[in-house]
Amino acid sequence: MYGDLIDQYRQMHRERAYGTTSVKKAPYILPYIQLLKPRTVVDYGCGQSSLAELISERCGVKATRYDPAIPAYEKRPTGRCDLLINVDVLEHVPEDAIDGVVADMAQLSDNAIIIVDTRPASTLLPDGRNAHVTLRPVQWWMERLAGHYPHVRQIWVQRRPAS
């Protein structure tokens, strides 16, 4: 699939704090979780973020972490959950693997909150590529997601300017 890229993310996670963006998006995500009242949530592509713990604490929901680039969370959950969270992940996946990853996400839950960053990352991969390997406009992402999640709705979240 794209094992070489996952290996690069493993290296980045070992060397520094990386993959913490989702907590910064919590103010946008938590109200939806509280409104939806799921019993179970999976943070798919959790990185080093503590969003799952924050969801459990603030929403009283059992939240599971999954990330193939982090040994502690690389075991894919089995069964289905009420809600899947995916924040700042899909743009890190090669374009030719997007549909497979989104299909895998849809196997875990019919409902998802997905945030995709459509601008270049401020981080480079160990091989020198921008960490956001798939940069596409919003409409392109909406079409890809709609193939697996038929009730896709767009919401806007703010990205802090690069410092």
Side-chain angles (χ1 to χ4, degrees):
M1 196 152 110
Y2 55 100
D4 64 320
L5 192 56
I6 290 175
D7 288 341
Q8 289 190 58
Y9 286 112
R10 281 189 183 117
Q11 178 181 341
M12 291 170 70
H13 285 294
R14 278 191 311 266
E15 294 174 355
R16 62 188 162 134
Y18 182 74
T20 60
T21 303
S22 60
V23 170
K24 297 172 190 166
K25 303 294 190 238
Y28 300 99
I29 298 167
L30 294 176
Y32 285 102
I33 296 171
Q34 291 165 339
L35 181 68
L36 294 169
K37 298 180 178 17
R39 291 182 319 272
T40 56
V41 174
V42 63
D43 184 357
Y44 189 106
C46 63
Q48 295 178 16
S49 169
S50 58
L51 181 63
E53 290 81 0
L54 190 60
I55 291 169
S56 296
E57 176 186 306
R58 299 258 181 95
C59 301
V61 178
K62 180 184 182 326
T64 302
R65 296 172 73 173
Y66 170 65
D67 195 309
I70 299 181
Y73 309 121
E74 69 185 357
K75 186 174 183 331
R76 184 185 176 280
T78 57
R80 300 196 38 92
C81 62
D82 296 327
L83 180 64
L84 181 137
I85 306 292
N86 182 264
V87 180
D88 193 21
V89 174
L90 291 177
E91 64 274 19
H92 294 267
V93 176
E95 189 171 323
D96 63 353
I98 296 287
D99 284 326
V101 171
V102 177
D104 186 57
M105 291 165 41
Q107 287 180 355
L108 291 173
S109 182
D110 293 328
N111 303 299
I113 296 172
I114 301 167
I115 298 175
V116 178
D117 195 336
T118 58
R119 298 186 313 183
S122 58
T123 302
L124 298 178
L125 295 168
D127 69 5
R129 286 184 289 170
N130 189 278
H132 290 175
V133 296
T134 300
L135 290 172
R136 291 297 198 148
V138 171
Q139 191 57 40
W140 186 91
W141 286 106
M142 295 291 287
E143 291 169 7
R144 291 304 161 292
L145 295 172
H148 303 278
Y149 290 101
H151 303 290
V152 173
R153 300 289 178 265
Q154 181 178 344
I155 61 167
W156 293 97
V157 297
Q158 191 136 18
R159 179 179 178 191
R160 290 189 329 184
S163 39

